[in-house]
Amino acid sequence: MTLPSSLRLILRNKGYATMAVACLALAISLNTTMYSVIDSLMYPKMTLHEPSRLYRIGFIGDFRRKIPTADRRAALLTATSFAGMARSAGGIAPFVERGNVVRQATASTVTPNYFAVVGAKPLHGRLLSPGDENVEPQPVVLGERIWSQLFPNRTTFDTGTVLVNGEPRMVIGVVDRFRHFPSARTDMWQLPATNDSTFRAGMLSLVRLKDGVDQKQAWDELEHIRGRLVAAANADPADSRFNLTPAEGQPFKF
């Protein structure tokens, strides 16, 4: 069988072959690096504190509604496996206004400890905390994208006021744009209104495991809590269960 002339050339010139392979490897490496840089610019990731300890938690089933949400929440708060528990809820699209600039935002309502449980750090300013619950005007945190649109001439951060559906809100901090936490489309985070009893009484949806506690230990404790709930409600154990899912690497869906 006759070898192609190009292959015969490579076999006769081993130095040429080595150089060709090295150039090909370098080209692949540069191409991979280029796409990594583009990916990080378009979808930067926020650095979270030990994201592997973050889990989503939910209560599945209870089809006969024998176990009230308030009882589930109270029972969950007795768990000793978690260093923190928080909740978020979306579906809000208010108009945010500053001067002549008006943007429709995607907003999420969160518990005061939400950012602390997640382990996030602000790009500018600070994040929401329990001390903000009774502050007026109501504090909010903005995503970097909408902040740069509403405050285009700001070179340094300072608290500022915006109107959210006509109501004044105080911008206390900014978080970086990111891929997964908690949603690439979220523009604003706010605390529940004082009269928002539905949100305040809802089930917690995000937990952080304590140091030294693994997923199985947390799951076993949840099963024990579920057993108490089922017994108290005289419910069928097959009708409901807790689920505990790692949050790392998955979009935070509201």
Side-chain angles (χ1 to χ4, degrees), residues 196-216:
D196 190 350
S197 58
T198 301
F199 178 85
R200 293 175 184 275
M203 278 292 293
L204 299 158
S205 56
L206 183 70
V207 297
R208 175 177 287 276
L209 297 190
K210 285 182 177 178
D211 292 340
V213 175
D214 60 27
Q215 184 178 6
K216 184 181 184 307

Side-chain angles (χ1 to χ4, degrees), residues 233-253:
N234 194 26
D236 185 343
D239 279 351
S240 59
R241 64 181 176 85
F242 279 105
N243 66 344
L244 191 65
T245 309
E248 186 179 23
Q250 302 177 26
F252 280 60
K253 295 181 181 179

Side-chain angles (χ1 to χ4, degrees), residues 22-251:
C23 288
L24 180 61
L26 178 61
I28 293 172
S29 175
L30 289 174
N31 188 58
T32 301
T33 302
M34 179 187 69
Y35 279 109
S36 297
V37 170
I38 293 174
D39 183 70
S40 65
L41 289 174
M42 292 181 66
Y43 304 103
K45 297 180 181 178
M46 174 176 280
T47 300
L48 306 180
H49 175 65
E50 295 186 343
S52 63
R53 306 198 70 77
L54 284 173
Y55 284 78
R56 293 190 186 88
I57 193 168
F59 193 79
I60 307 300
D62 187 28
F63 305 113
R64 296 177 179 83
R65 305 287 183 182
K66 288 187 175 182
I67 306 175
T69 300
D71 292 351
R72 303 177 199 171
R73 180 186 177 91
L76 189 57
L77 287 171
T78 67
T80 61
S81 298
F82 309 122
M85 293 178 274
R87 185 181 179 223
S88 64
I92 309 167
F95 287 96
V96 184
E97 177 182 356
R98 180 176 179 267
N100 295 323
V101 181
V102 181
R103 294 288 185 272
Q104 187 167 22
T106 300
S108 288
T109 300
V110 297
T111 51
N113 67 334
Y114 182 78
F115 286 104
V117 171
V118 169
K121 293 184 178 180
L123 178 64
H124 302 297
R126 65 177 182 84
L127 301 178
L128 296 168
S129 68
D132 293 318
E133 287 190 281
N134 299 313
V135 174
E136 292 294 339
Q138 183 181 348
V140 296
V141 170
L142 297 182
E144 194 274 338
R145 180 183 67 86
I146 197 168
W147 178 77
S148 63
Q149 294 173 351
L150 295 170
F151 298 87
N153 300 319
R154 289 280 181 92
T155 56
T156 59
F157 177 80
D158 193 9
T159 55
T161 302
V162 296
L163 297 178
V164 178
N165 285 344
E167 297 291 332
R169 297 287 186 269
M170 180 171 60
V171 181
I172 62 170
V174 179
V175 291
D176 207 350
R177 286 176 287 189
F178 35 71
R179 177 182 298 172
H180 288 320
F181 162 75
S183 166
R185 297 188 180 91
T186 304
D187 297 305
M188 186 180 78
W189 292 262
Q190 63 183 8
L191 298 178
T194 305
N195 60 354
D196 190 350
S197 58
T198 301
F199 178 85
R200 293 175 184 275
M203 278 292 293
L204 299 158
S205 56
L206 183 70
V207 297
R208 175 177 287 276
L209 297 190
K210 285 182 177 178
D211 292 340
V213 175
D214 60 27
Q215 184 178 6
K216 184 181 184 307
Q217 289 172 299
W219 173 257
D220 289 343
E221 184 175 24
L222 288 177
E223 280 293 280
H224 179 70
I225 290 173
R226 184 178 72 94
R228 297 203 320 261
L229 287 170
V230 167
N234 194 26
D236 185 343
D239 279 351
S240 59
R241 64 181 176 85
F242 279 105
N243 66 344
L244 191 65
T245 309
E248 186 179 23
Q250 302 177 26

